[in-house]
Coordinates of all heavy atoms in Angstrom, one line a residue:
M32 N 28.1 12.2 -56.1 CA 27.1 11.3 -55.7 C 27.6 10.2 -54.8 O 27.0 9.9 -53.8 CB 26.5 10.7 -57.0 CG 25.2 9.9 -56.7 SD 23.9 11.0 -56.5 CE 22.6 10.0 -56.6
G33 N 28.8 9.7 -55.1 CA 29.4 8.6 -54.2 C 29.7 9.2 -52.9 O 29.7 8.4 -51.9
G34 N 30.1 10.4 -52.8 CA 30.5 11.0 -51.5 C 29.3 11.2 -50.6 O 29.4 11.0 -49.4
V35 N 28.2 11.5 -51.2 CA 26.9 11.7 -50.4 C 26.5 10.4 -49.8 O 26.1 10.2 -48.7 CB 25.8 12.4 -51.2 CG1 24.5 12.4 -50.5 CG2 26.2 13.8 -51.6
L36 N 26.5 9.3 -50.7 CA 26.1 8.0 -50.3 C 27.0 7.4 -49.2 O 26.6 6.8 -48.3 CB 26.1 7.1 -51.6 CG 25.4 5.7 -51.4 CD1 24.0 5.9 -51.0 CD2 25.5 5.0 -52.7
K37 N 28.3 7.7 -49.4 CA 29.3 7.3 -48.4 C 29.1 8.0 -47.0 O 29.1 7.4 -46.0 CB 30.7 7.5 -48.9 CG 31.8 7.0 -48.0 CD 33.2 7.3 -48.6 CE 34.3 6.8 -47.7 NZ 35.6 7.0 -48.2
N38 N 28.8 9.3 -47.1 CA 28.5 10.1 -45.9 C 27.3 9.6 -45.2 O 27.2 9.5 -44.0 CB 28.4 11.5 -46.3 CG 28.7 12.5 -45.2 OD1 29.2 12.1 -44.1 ND2 28.5 13.7 -45.4
T39 N 26.2 9.3 -46.0 CA 25.0 8.8 -45.4 C 25.2 7.4 -44.8 O 24.7 7.1 -43.7 CB 23.9 8.7 -46.5 OG1 23.7 10.0 -47.1 CG2 22.6 8.2 -45.9
F40 N 26.0 6.6 -45.4 CA 26.3 5.2 -44.9 C 27.0 5.4 -43.5 O 26.7 4.7 -42.6 CB 27.1 4.4 -45.9 CG 27.5 3.1 -45.3 CD1 26.6 2.1 -45.2 CD2 28.8 2.9 -44.9 CE1 27.0 0.8 -44.7 CE2 29.2 1.7 -44.3 CZ 28.3 0.6 -44.2
I41 N 28.0 6.3 -43.5 CA 28.7 6.5 -42.2 C 27.8 7.0 -41.1 O 27.9 6.5 -40.0 CB 29.9 7.4 -42.5 CG1 31.0 6.7 -43.4 CG2 30.5 7.9 -41.2 CD1 32.1 7.6 -43.8
R42 N 26.9 7.9 -41.5 CA 26.0 8.4 -40.4 C 25.1 7.3 -39.9 O 24.8 7.2 -38.7 CB 25.2 9.6 -41.0 CG 26.0 10.8 -41.1 CD 25.2 12.0 -41.6 NE 26.0 13.2 -41.6 CZ 25.6 14.3 -42.2 NH1 24.4 14.4 -42.8 NH2 26.4 15.3 -42.3
M43 N 24.6 6.5 -40.9 CA 23.7 5.4 -40.5 C 24.4 4.4 -39.6 O 23.9 3.9 -38.6 CB 23.1 4.7 -41.7 CG 22.2 5.6 -42.5 SD 20.7 6.0 -41.6 CE 19.7 4.6 -42.1
A44 N 25.7 4.1 -40.0 CA 26.5 3.1 -39.2 C 26.7 3.7 -37.8 O 26.7 3.0 -36.8 CB 27.8 2.8 -39.9
M45 N 27.0 5.0 -37.7 CA 27.2 5.6 -36.4 C 26.0 5.6 -35.6 O 26.0 5.4 -34.4 CB 27.8 7.1 -36.6 CG 29.1 7.2 -37.2 SD 30.4 6.4 -36.2 CE 30.6 7.7 -35.0
L46 N 24.8 5.9 -36.2 CA 23.6 5.8 -35.5 C 23.3 4.4 -35.0 O 22.8 4.2 -33.8 CB 22.4 6.3 -36.4 CG 21.0 6.3 -35.8 CD1 21.0 7.3 -34.6 CD2 20.0 6.7 -36.8
A47 N 23.5 3.4 -35.8 CA 23.3 2.0 -35.4 C 24.2 1.7 -34.3 O 23.8 1.0 -33.3 CB 23.5 1.1 -36.6
L48 N 25.4 2.1 -34.4 CA 26.4 1.8 -33.3 C 26.0 2.5 -32.0 O 26.1 1.9 -30.9 CB 27.8 2.3 -33.8 CG 29.0 1.8 -33.0 CD1 29.0 0.3 -33.0 CD2 30.3 2.4 -33.5
A49 N 25.5 3.7 -32.1 CA 25.1 4.5 -30.9 C 23.9 3.8 -30.3 O 23.8 3.6 -29.1 CB 24.8 5.9 -31.2
L50 N 22.9 3.3 -31.1 CA 21.7 2.6 -30.6 C 22.2 1.3 -29.9 O 21.6 0.9 -28.9 CB 20.7 2.4 -31.7 CG 19.9 3.6 -32.2 CD1 19.1 3.2 -33.4 CD2 19.1 4.1 -31.1
F51 N 23.1 0.6 -30.6 CA 23.6 -0.7 -30.0 C 24.2 -0.4 -28.6 O 23.8 -1.1 -27.7 CB 24.6 -1.3 -31.0 CG 25.3 -2.5 -30.4 CD1 24.6 -3.7 -30.4 CD2 26.6 -2.4 -30.0 CE1 25.2 -4.8 -29.9 CE2 27.2 -3.5 -29.4 CZ 26.5 -4.7 -29.4
F52 N 25.1 0.6 -28.5 CA 25.7 0.8 -27.2 C 24.7 1.3 -26.2 O 24.8 1.0 -25.0 CB 26.8 1.8 -27.4 CG 28.1 1.2 -27.9 CD1 28.7 1.7 -29.1 CD2 28.6 0.1 -27.4 CE1 29.8 1.1 -29.6 CE2 29.8 -0.5 -27.9 CZ 30.4 0.0 -29.0
G53 N 23.7 2.1 -26.7 CA 22.6 2.5 -25.8 C 21.8 1.4 -25.2 O 21.5 1.3 -24.0
V54 N 21.5 0.4 -26.0 CA 20.7 -0.8 -25.6 C 21.6 -1.6 -24.6 O 21.1 -2.0 -23.6 CB 20.3 -1.6 -26.8 CG1 19.7 -3.0 -26.3 CG2 19.2 -0.9 -27.6
I55 N 22.8 -1.8 -25.0 CA 23.8 -2.5 -24.1 C 23.9 -1.8 -22.8 O 23.9 -2.5 -21.7 CB 25.2 -2.7 -24.8 CG1 25.1 -3.5 -26.0 CG2 26.2 -3.2 -23.8 CD1 24.7 -5.0 -25.7
F56 N 24.0 -0.5 -22.8 CA 24.2 0.3 -21.5 C 22.9 0.1 -20.6 O 23.0 -0.2 -19.4 CB 24.4 1.7 -21.8 CG 24.4 2.6 -20.6 CD1 25.6 2.6 -19.8 CD2 23.4 3.4 -20.2 CE1 25.7 3.4 -18.7 CE2 23.4 4.2 -19.1 CZ 24.6 4.2 -18.3
V57 N 21.7 0.2 -21.2 CA 20.5 0.1 -20.4 C 20.4 -1.3 -19.9 O 20.0 -1.6 -18.7 CB 19.3 0.5 -21.3 CG1 18.0 0.1 -20.6 CG2 19.3 1.9 -21.6
T58 N 20.7 -2.3 -20.7 CA 20.6 -3.7 -20.3 C 21.6 -4.0 -19.1 O 21.2 -4.6 -18.1 CB 21.0 -4.7 -21.5 OG1 20.0 -4.4 -22.5 CG2 20.9 -6.1 -21.1
L59 N 22.8 -3.5 -19.2 CA 23.8 -3.7 -18.2 C 23.4 -3.0 -16.9 O 23.6 -3.5 -15.8 CB 25.1 -3.3 -18.6 CG 25.8 -4.2 -19.7 CD1 27.1 -3.6 -20.1 CD2 26.0 -5.6 -19.1
R60 N 22.8 -1.8 -17.0 CA 22.3 -1.0 -15.9 C 21.2 -1.8 -15.1 O 21.2 -1.9 -13.9 CB 21.8 0.4 -16.3 CG 21.3 1.2 -15.2 CD 22.4 1.5 -14.3 NE 23.0 2.8 -14.6 CZ 23.9 3.5 -13.9 NH1 24.3 2.9 -12.8 NH2 24.3 4.6 -14.3
L61 N 20.2 -2.3 -15.9 CA 19.2 -3.1 -15.3 C 19.7 -4.3 -14.6 O 19.3 -4.7 -13.5 CB 18.1 -3.5 -16.3 CG 17.3 -2.3 -16.9 CD1 16.4 -2.8 -18.0 CD2 16.5 -1.6 -15.8
E62 N 20.6 -5.0 -15.3 CA 21.2 -6.2 -14.7 C 22.0 -5.9 -13.4 O 21.9 -6.6 -12.4 CB 22.2 -6.9 -15.7 CG 22.7 -8.2 -15.2 CD 23.5 -8.9 -16.2 OE1 23.4 -8.7 -17.4 OE2 24.4 -9.7 -15.8
N63 N 22.7 -4.7 -13.4 CA 23.4 -4.3 -12.2 C 22.5 -4.0 -11.1 O 22.8 -4.4 -9.9 CB 24.2 -3.0 -12.6 CG 25.1 -2.5 -11.4 OD1 25.8 -3.3 -10.8 ND2 24.9 -1.3 -11.1
N64 N 21.4 -3.3 -11.4 CA 20.4 -3.0 -10.3 C 19.8 -4.3 -9.7 O 19.7 -4.4 -8.5 CB 19.2 -2.2 -10.9 CG 19.7 -0.8 -11.2 OD1 20.7 -0.3 -10.8 ND2 18.9 -0.1 -12.0
D65 N 19.6 -5.3 -10.6 CA 19.1 -6.6 -10.1 C 20.1 -7.3 -9.2 O 19.8 -7.9 -8.1 CB 18.7 -7.6 -11.2 CG 17.5 -7.1 -12.0 OD1 16.7 -6.3 -11.4 OD2 17.3 -7.6 -13.1
L66 N 21.4 -7.2 -9.6 CA 22.5 -7.8 -8.8 C 22.7 -7.1 -7.5 O 23.0 -7.7 -6.5 CB 23.8 -7.9 -9.6 CG 23.8 -8.8 -10.8 CD1 25.0 -8.6 -11.6 CD2 23.6 -10.3 -10.4
V67 N 22.6 -5.8 -7.5 CA 22.7 -5.0 -6.2 C 21.6 -5.4 -5.3 O 21.8 -5.6 -4.1 CB 22.7 -3.5 -6.5 CG1 22.5 -2.7 -5.3 CG2 24.0 -3.1 -7.2
E68 N 20.4 -5.5 -5.8 CA 19.2 -5.9 -5.0 C 19.4 -7.3 -4.4 O 19.2 -7.6 -3.3 CB 18.0 -5.9 -5.8 CG 16.7 -6.1 -5.1 CD 15.5 -6.0 -6.0 OE1 15.4 -5.0 -6.7 OE2 14.6 -6.9 -6.0
R69 N 19.9 -8.2 -5.3 CA 20.2 -9.6 -4.8 C 21.3 -9.6 -3.7 O 21.2 -10.4 -2.7 CB 20.6 -10.5 -6.0 CG 20.9 -11.9 -5.6 CD 19.6 -12.7 -5.3 NE 20.0 -14.1 -5.1 CZ 19.6 -14.8 -4.1 NH1 18.7 -14.3 -3.2 NH2 20.0 -16.1 -4.0
A70 N 22.3 -8.8 -3.9 CA 23.4 -8.7 -2.9 C 22.9 -8.2 -1.6 O 23.2 -8.7 -0.5 CB 24.5 -7.8 -3.5
D71 N 22.0 -7.2 -1.6 CA 21.4 -6.7 -0.4 C 20.6 -7.8 0.3 O 20.6 -8.0 1.5 CB 20.5 -5.5 -0.7 CG 21.3 -4.3 -1.0 OD1 22.5 -4.2 -0.8 OD2 20.8 -3.3 -1.6
Q72 N 19.8 -8.5 -0.5 CA 19.0 -9.6 0.0 C 19.9 -10.7 0.7 O 19.6 -11.2 1.8 CB 18.2 -10.3 -1.1 CG 17.3 -11.4 -0.6 CD 16.6 -12.1 -1.8 OE1 16.8 -11.7 -2.9 NE2 15.8 -13.1 -1.5
L73 N 21.0 -11.0 0.0 CA 21.9 -12.0 0.6 C 22.6 -11.5 1.8 O 22.8 -12.3 2.8 CB 22.9 -12.5 -0.5 CG 22.4 -13.3 -1.7 CD1 23.4 -13.5 -2.7 CD2 21.8 -14.6 -1.2
R74 N 22.9 -10.2 1.9 CA 23.5 -9.7 3.1 C 22.5 -9.8 4.3 O 23.0 -10.1 5.4 CB 23.9 -8.2 2.9 CG 25.2 -8.0 2.1 CD 25.6 -6.5 2.1 NE 26.5 -6.3 1.0 CZ 26.2 -5.9 -0.2 NH1 25.0 -5.5 -0.4 NH2 27.2 -5.7 -1.1
G75 N 21.3 -9.6 4.0 CA 20.3 -9.8 5.1 C 20.2 -11.2 5.5 O 20.1 -11.5 6.7
E76 N 20.2 -12.2 4.6 CA 20.2 -13.6 4.9 C 21.5 -13.9 5.7 O 21.4 -14.7 6.7 CB 20.1 -14.4 3.7 CG 18.8 -14.4 3.0 CD 18.7 -15.2 1.7 OE1 19.5 -16.1 1.6 OE2 17.9 -14.9 0.9
V77 N 22.6 -13.4 5.4 CA 23.8 -13.7 6.1 C 23.7 -13.1 7.5 O 24.2 -13.8 8.5 CB 25.1 -13.0 5.3 CG1 26.3 -13.0 6.2 CG2 25.4 -13.8 4.1
A78 N 23.1 -12.0 7.7 CA 23.0 -11.4 9.0 C 22.1 -12.3 9.9 O 22.4 -12.5 11.1 CB 22.4 -10.0 8.9
V79 N 21.0 -12.8 9.3 CA 20.1 -13.7 10.1 C 20.9 -15.0 10.4 O 20.8 -15.4 11.6 CB 18.9 -14.0 9.2 CG1 18.1 -15.1 9.8 CG2 18.0 -12.8 9.1
L80 N 21.6 -15.5 9.5 CA 22.3 -16.7 9.8 C 23.4 -16.5 10.8 O 23.7 -17.4 11.6 CB 22.9 -17.3 8.5 CG 21.8 -17.9 7.5 CD1 22.5 -18.3 6.2 CD2 21.1 -19.0 8.1
Q81 N 24.1 -15.3 10.7 CA 25.1 -15.0 11.7 C 24.5 -14.9 13.1 O 25.2 -15.4 14.1 CB 25.8 -13.7 11.3 CG 27.1 -13.4 12.1 CD 28.1 -14.5 12.0 OE1 28.5 -14.9 10.9 NE2 28.6 -15.0 13.1
N82 N 23.4 -14.3 13.2 CA 22.7 -14.3 14.5 C 22.4 -15.7 15.0 O 22.6 -16.0 16.2 CB 21.4 -13.5 14.4 CG 21.7 -12.0 14.3 OD1 22.7 -11.5 14.6 ND2 20.7 -11.3 13.8
S83 N 21.9 -16.6 14.2 CA 21.7 -17.9 14.5 C 22.9 -18.6 15.0 O 23.0 -19.4 16.0 CB 21.0 -18.7 13.4 OG 20.8 -20.0 13.7
I84 N 24.0 -18.4 14.3 CA 25.3 -19.0 14.6 C 25.8 -18.5 16.0 O 26.2 -19.3 16.8 CB 26.4 -18.7 13.6 CG1 26.1 -19.5 12.3 CG2 27.8 -19.0 14.1 CD1 26.9 -19.1 11.1
N85 N 25.6 -17.2 16.2 CA 26.0 -16.6 17.5 C 25.2 -17.2 18.7 O 25.7 -17.5 19.7 CB 25.8 -15.1 17.5 CG 26.8 -14.4 16.6 OD1 27.9 -15.0 16.2 ND2 26.5 -13.2 16.2
E86 N 23.9 -17.4 18.4 CA 23.0 -18.0 19.5 C 23.5 -19.5 19.7 O 23.5 -19.9 20.9 CB 21.6 -18.0 19.1 CG 21.0 -16.6 19.1 CD 19.6 -16.6 18.5 OE1 19.0 -17.7 18.2 OE2 19.0 -15.5 18.4
L87 N 23.7 -20.2 18.7 CA 24.2 -21.6 18.9 C 25.6 -21.7 19.6 O 25.8 -22.5 20.4 CB 24.2 -22.3 17.5 CG 22.9 -22.6 16.9 CD1 23.1 -23.1 15.4 CD2 22.1 -23.5 17.7
Q88 N 26.4 -20.7 19.2 CA 27.8 -20.7 19.8 C 27.6 -20.4 21.3 O 28.3 -20.9 22.2 CB 28.7 -19.7 19.2 CG 30.1 -19.7 19.7 CD 30.8 -21.0 19.4 OE1 30.7 -21.5 18.3 NE2 31.4 -21.6 20.4
A89 N 26.7 -19.5 21.7 CA 26.4 -19.1 23.1 C 25.9 -20.4 23.8 O 26.3 -20.6 25.0 CB 25.4 -18.0 23.2
D90 N 25.1 -21.2 23.2 CA 24.7 -22.4 23.8 C 25.8 -23.4 24.0 O 25.9 -24.0 25.0 CB 23.6 -23.1 22.9 CG 22.2 -22.4 23.0 OD1 22.0 -21.6 23.9 OD2 21.4 -22.7 22.2
L91 N 26.7 -23.4 23.0 CA 27.9 -24.3 23.2 C 28.8 -23.8 24.3 O 29.5 -24.7 25.0 CB 28.6 -24.4 21.9 CG 28.0 -25.3 20.8 CD1 28.8 -25.1 19.5 CD2 27.9 -26.7 21.2
D92 N 29.0 -22.5 24.4 CA 29.9 -22.0 25.4 C 29.3 -22.0 26.8 O 30.0 -21.8 27.8 CB 30.2 -20.5 25.0 CG 31.0 -20.4 23.7 OD1 31.6 -21.5 23.3 OD2 31.1 -19.3 23.1
R93 N 28.0 -22.3 26.9 CA 27.4 -22.3 28.2 C 27.9 -23.4 29.0 O 28.1 -24.5 28.5 CB 25.9 -22.4 28.0 CG 25.1 -22.2 29.3 CD 23.6 -22.2 28.9 NE 22.9 -22.2 30.2 CZ 21.6 -22.3 30.2 NH1 20.9 -22.4 29.1 NH2 20.9 -22.3 31.4
P94 N 28.1 -23.2 30.4 CA 28.5 -24.3 31.2 C 27.5 -25.5 31.2 O 26.3 -25.3 31.2 CB 28.7 -23.7 32.6 CG 28.1 -22.4 32.5 CD 27.9 -22.0 31.1
F95 N 28.0 -26.7 31.2 CA 27.2 -27.9 31.2 C 26.9 -28.3 32.7 O 27.5 -29.2 33.2 CB 27.9 -29.0 30.5 CG 27.1 -30.1 30.1 CD1 26.1 -30.0 29.0 CD2 27.2 -31.4 30.7 CE1 25.4 -31.0 28.7 CE2 26.4 -32.4 30.3 CZ 25.5 -32.3 29.3
D96 N 26.1 -27.5 33.3 CA 25.8 -27.8 34.8 C 24.4 -28.3 34.9 O 23.6 -28.5 33.9 CB 26.0 -26.5 35.6 CG 25.2 -25.3 35.1 OD1 24.4 -25.5 34.1 OD2 25.3 -24.3 35.7
E97 N 23.9 -28.5 36.2 CA 22.6 -29.1 36.4 C 21.5 -28.2 35.9 O 20.5 -28.7 35.4 CB 22.4 -29.3 37.9 CG 23.2 -30.5 38.4 CD 22.9 -30.9 39.9 OE1 21.7 -30.6 40.3 OE2 23.8 -31.4 40.6
E98 N 21.7 -26.9 36.0 CA 20.6 -25.9 35.5 C 20.4 -26.1 34.0 O 19.3 -26.1 33.5 CB 21.0 -24.5 35.9 CG 20.0 -23.5 35.4 CD 20.5 -22.0 35.7 OE1 21.3 -21.8 36.7 OE2 20.1 -21.2 34.9
Y99 N 21.5 -26.2 33.3 CA 21.5 -26.4 31.9 C 20.8 -27.7 31.5 O 20.0 -27.7 30.6 CB 22.9 -26.3 31.3 CG 23.0 -26.5 29.8 CD1 22.5 -25.5 28.9 CD2 23.5 -27.7 29.2 CE1 22.5 -25.7 27.6 CE2 23.5 -27.9 27.9 CZ 23.0 -26.9 27.0 OH 23.1 -27.0 25.7
I100 N 21.2 -28.8 32.2 CA 20.6 -30.1 31.9 C 19.1 -30.0 32.2 O 18.3 -30.6 31.4 CB 21.3 -31.2 32.8 CG1 22.8 -31.3 32.3 CG2 20.6 -32.5 32.7 CD1 23.6 -32.1 33.2
A101 N 18.7 -29.4 33.3 CA 17.3 -29.3 33.6 C 16.5 -28.5 32.5 O 15.4 -28.8 32.1 CB 17.1 -28.7 35.0
E102 N 17.1 -27.4 32.1 CA 16.5 -26.6 31.0 C 16.3 -27.4 29.7 O 15.3 -27.3 29.1 CB 17.4 -25.3 30.8 CG 16.7 -24.4 29.8 CD 17.6 -23.1 29.7 OE1 18.1 -22.6 30.7 OE2 17.8 -22.7 28.5
I103 N 17.3 -28.1 29.3 CA 17.3 -28.9 28.1 C 16.2 -30.0 28.3 O 15.4 -30.3 27.3 CB 18.6 -29.5 27.7 CG1 19.6 -28.3 27.4 CG2 18.5 -30.4 26.6 CD1 19.2 -27.5 26.2
A104 N 16.2 -30.6 29.4 CA 15.2 -31.7 29.6 C 13.8 -31.2 29.6 O 12.9 -31.8 29.0 CB 15.5 -32.4 31.0
E105 N 13.6 -30.0 30.1 CA 12.3 -29.4 30.0 C 11.9 -28.9 28.6 O 10.8 -29.3 28.1 CB 12.2 -28.2 30.9 CG 10.9 -27.5 31.0 CD 10.9 -26.3 31.9 OE1 11.7 -26.3 32.9 OE2 10.1 -25.4 31.7
E106 N 12.8 -28.2 27.9 CA 12.5 -27.7 26.6 C 12.4 -28.8 25.5 O 11.5 -28.8 24.7 CB 13.6 -26.7 26.2 CG 13.5 -25.4 26.9 CD 14.7 -24.5 26.5 OE1 15.4 -24.8 25.5 OE2 14.8 -23.4 27.1
K107 N 13.4 -29.7 25.5 CA 13.5 -30.7 24.4 C 12.7 -32.0 24.7 O 12.1 -32.6 23.8 CB 14.9 -31.1 24.1 CG 15.9 -29.9 23.9 CD 15.6 -29.3 22.5 CE 16.6 -28.2 22.2 NZ 16.3 -27.4 21.1
L108 N 12.6 -32.4 25.9 CA 12.0 -33.7 26.3 C 10.7 -33.5 27.0 O 10.0 -34.5 27.2 CB 13.0 -34.5 27.1 CG 14.3 -34.8 26.5 CD1 15.2 -35.5 27.5 CD2 14.2 -35.6 25.2
G109 N 10.4 -32.3 27.4 CA 9.1 -32.1 28.1 C 9.1 -32.6 29.5 O 8.0 -32.8 30.1
L110 N 10.2 -32.8 30.1 CA 10.3 -33.4 31.5 C 10.1 -32.3 32.5 O 10.4 -31.1 32.3 CB 11.7 -34.1 31.7 CG 12.0 -35.2 30.7 CD1 13.4 -35.8 31.0 CD2 11.0 -36.3 30.9
R111 N 9.6 -32.7 33.7 CA 9.4 -31.7 34.8 C 9.9 -32.4 36.0 O 10.0 -33.6 36.2 CB 7.9 -31.4 34.9 CG 7.3 -30.8 33.7 CD 7.7 -29.4 33.5 NE 6.9 -28.8 32.4 CZ 7.4 -28.5 31.2 NH1 8.6 -28.8 30.9 NH2 6.6 -28.0 30.3
Y112 N 10.2 -31.5 37.0 CA 10.5 -32.1 38.4 C 9.2 -32.7 39.0 O 8.1 -32.2 38.7 CB 11.0 -30.9 39.3 CG 12.4 -30.5 38.9 CD1 12.6 -29.3 38.3 CD2 13.5 -31.3 39.3 CE1 13.9 -28.9 38.0 CE2 14.8 -30.9 39.0 CZ 15.0 -29.7 38.4 OH 16.3 -29.3 38.1
P113 N 9.4 -33.7 39.8 CA 8.2 -34.3 40.4 C 7.3 -33.4 41.2 O 6.1 -33.5 41.3 CB 8.8 -35.4 41.4 CG 10.2 -35.7 40.8 CD 10.6 -34.4 40.2
Q114 N 7.9 -32.4 41.9 CA 7.1 -31.4 42.7 C 6.5 -30.3 41.9 O 5.7 -29.6 42.4 CB 8.0 -30.8 43.8 CG 9.1 -29.9 43.3 CD 10.4 -30.6 43.0 OE1 10.5 -31.8 42.8 NE2 11.5 -29.9 42.9
E115 N 6.7 -30.3 40.6 CA 6.1 -29.2 39.7 C 4.7 -29.6 39.4 O 4.3 -30.7 39.2 CB 6.9 -29.1 38.4 CG 8.2 -28.3 38.5 CD 8.8 -28.1 37.1 OE1 9.4 -29.0 36.6 OE2 8.6 -27.0 36.5
V116 N 3.9 -28.5 39.4 CA 2.5 -28.7 38.9 C 2.4 -28.1 37.6 O 2.7 -26.9 37.3 CB 1.5 -28.0 39.9 CG1 0.1 -28.1 39.4 CG2 1.7 -28.5 41.3
V117 N 1.9 -28.9 36.6 CA 1.8 -28.4 35.2 C 0.3 -28.2 34.9 O -0.5 -29.1 35.1 CB 2.4 -29.5 34.3 CG1 2.3 -29.0 32.9 CG2 3.8 -29.7 34.7
F118 N 0.0 -27.0 34.3 CA -1.3 -26.7 33.9 C -1.3 -26.7 32.4 O -0.5 -26.0 31.8 CB -1.8 -25.3 34.5 CG -1.9 -25.3 35.9 CD1 -0.9 -24.8 36.7 CD2 -3.1 -25.8 36.5 CE1 -1.0 -24.8 38.1 CE2 -3.2 -25.7 37.9 CZ -2.2 -25.2 38.7
Y119 N -2.2 -27.3 31.8 CA -2.4 -27.4 30.3 C -3.5 -26.4 29.9 O -4.6 -26.5 30.5 CB -2.6 -28.8 29.8 CG -1.5 -29.7 30.1 CD1 -1.5 -30.6 31.1 CD2 -0.4 -29.7 29.2 CE1 -0.4 -31.5 31.4 CE2 0.7 -30.6 29.4 CZ 0.7 -31.4 30.5 OH 1.7 -32.3 30.7
T120 N -3.2 -25.7 28.9 CA -4.2 -24.8 28.3 C -4.4 -25.2 26.9 O -3.7 -26.0 26.3 CB -3.8 -23.3 28.4 OG1 -2.6 -23.1 27.7 CG2 -3.6 -22.9 29.9
G121 N -5.3 -24.5 26.2 CA -5.5 -24.7 24.7 C -4.3 -24.2 23.9 O -4.3 -24.5 22.7
E122 N -3.4 -23.4 24.5 CA -2.3 -22.9 23.7 C -1.2 -23.9 23.7 O -1.2 -24.8 24.5 CB -1.9 -21.6 24.4 CG -3.0 -20.5 24.4 CD -2.6 -19.3 25.1 OE1 -1.4 -19.2 25.5 OE2 -3.5 -18.4 25.3
N123 N -0.2 -23.6 22.9 CA 1.0 -24.5 22.9 C 1.7 -24.4 24.2 O 2.5 -24.4 24.7 CB 2.0 -24.0 21.8 CG 1.3 -24.4 20.4 OD1 0.5 -25.2 20.3 ND2 1.8 -23.7 19.4

Protein backbone atom coordinates (compact mmCIF):
# COMPACT_ATOMS: atom_id res chain seq x y z
CA MET A 1 0.00 0.00 0.00
CA GLY A 2 2.81 2.44 0.86
CA GLY A 3 4.51 1.75 -2.49
CA VAL A 4 1.39 2.62 -4.47
CA LEU A 5 0.89 5.84 -2.48
CA LYS A 6 4.55 6.77 -2.94
CA ASN A 7 4.34 6.02 -6.68
CA THR A 8 1.18 8.15 -7.02
CA PHE A 9 2.81 11.01 -5.12
CA ILE A 10 5.84 10.91 -7.40
CA ARG A 11 3.61 10.94 -10.50
CA MET A 12 1.61 13.88 -9.15
CA ALA A 13 4.81 15.74 -8.29
CA MET A 14 6.18 15.10 -11.78
CA LEU A 15 2.91 16.27 -13.34
CA ALA A 16 2.92 19.44 -11.23
CA LEU A 17 6.55 20.05 -12.14
CA ALA A 18 5.80 19.54 -15.86
CA LEU A 19 2.85 21.95 -15.65
CA PHE A 20 4.99 24.49 -13.81
CA PHE A 21 7.71 24.34 -16.46
CA GLY A 22 5.08 24.47 -19.22
CA VAL A 23 3.57 27.65 -17.79
CA ILE A 24 7.03 29.17 -17.33
CA PHE A 25 7.95 28.27 -20.92
CA VAL A 26 4.79 29.85 -22.38
CA THR A 27 5.22 32.96 -20.22
CA LEU A 28 8.83 33.38 -21.30
CA ARG A 29 7.93 32.79 -24.95
CA LEU A 30 5.26 35.50 -24.82
CA GLU A 31 7.63 37.91 -23.07
CA ASN A 32 10.30 37.16 -25.68
CA ASN A 33 7.84 37.91 -28.49
CA ASP A 34 6.96 41.23 -26.84
CA LEU A 35 10.63 42.10 -26.46
CA VAL A 36 11.40 41.21 -30.08
CA GLU A 37 8.50 43.40 -31.22
CA ARG A 38 9.73 46.27 -29.02
CA ALA A 39 13.28 45.85 -30.37
CA ASP A 40 11.97 46.08 -33.95
CA GLN A 41 10.02 49.21 -33.03
CA LEU A 42 13.12 50.77 -31.46
CA ARG A 43 15.21 49.89 -34.52
CA GLY A 44 12.69 51.78 -36.64
CA GLU A 45 12.90 54.78 -34.32
CA VAL A 46 16.70 54.65 -34.46
CA ALA A 47 16.57 54.62 -38.27
CA VAL A 48 14.29 57.69 -38.30
CA LEU A 49 16.54 59.51 -35.84
CA GLN A 50 19.65 58.53 -37.80
CA ASN A 51 18.11 60.04 -40.95
CA SER A 52 17.39 63.21 -39.01
CA ILE A 53 20.97 63.29 -37.74
CA ASN A 54 22.28 62.80 -41.28
CA GLU A 55 20.14 65.68 -42.56
CA LEU A 56 21.32 67.96 -39.76
CA GLN A 57 24.93 66.94 -40.37
CA ALA A 58 24.51 67.77 -44.05
CA ASP A 59 23.25 71.21 -43.04
CA LEU A 60 26.30 71.67 -40.81
CA ASP A 61 28.67 70.52 -43.54
CA ARG A 62 27.13 72.89 -46.09
CA PRO A 63 29.25 75.92 -46.96
CA PHE A 64 28.24 79.12 -45.18
CA ASP A 65 27.90 81.28 -48.28
CA GLU A 66 25.45 83.96 -49.46
CA GLU A 67 23.09 81.40 -50.99
CA TYR A 68 22.87 79.53 -47.69
CA ILE A 69 22.30 82.74 -45.72
CA ALA A 70 19.54 83.79 -48.13
CA GLU A 71 17.88 80.38 -47.88
CA ILE A 72 17.91 80.45 -44.08
CA ALA A 73 16.63 84.04 -44.01
CA GLU A 74 13.76 83.03 -46.26
CA GLU A 75 12.87 79.77 -44.50
CA LYS A 76 13.36 80.75 -40.87
CA LEU A 77 12.71 84.49 -40.86
CA GLY A 78 10.35 84.88 -43.82
CA LEU A 79 12.60 87.50 -45.43
CA ARG A 80 12.58 88.18 -49.16
CA TYR A 81 14.66 90.17 -51.59
CA PRO A 82 13.26 93.66 -52.33
CA GLN A 83 12.69 92.79 -55.99
CA GLU A 84 10.71 89.62 -55.17
CA VAL A 85 6.96 89.59 -55.60
CA VAL A 86 5.17 87.51 -52.99
CA PHE A 87 1.69 86.09 -53.55
CA TYR A 88 -0.26 84.91 -50.54
CA THR A 89 -2.82 82.16 -50.85
CA GLY A 90 -5.05 80.45 -48.32
CA GLU A 91 -2.47 77.68 -48.00
CA ASN A 92 0.59 77.73 -45.77
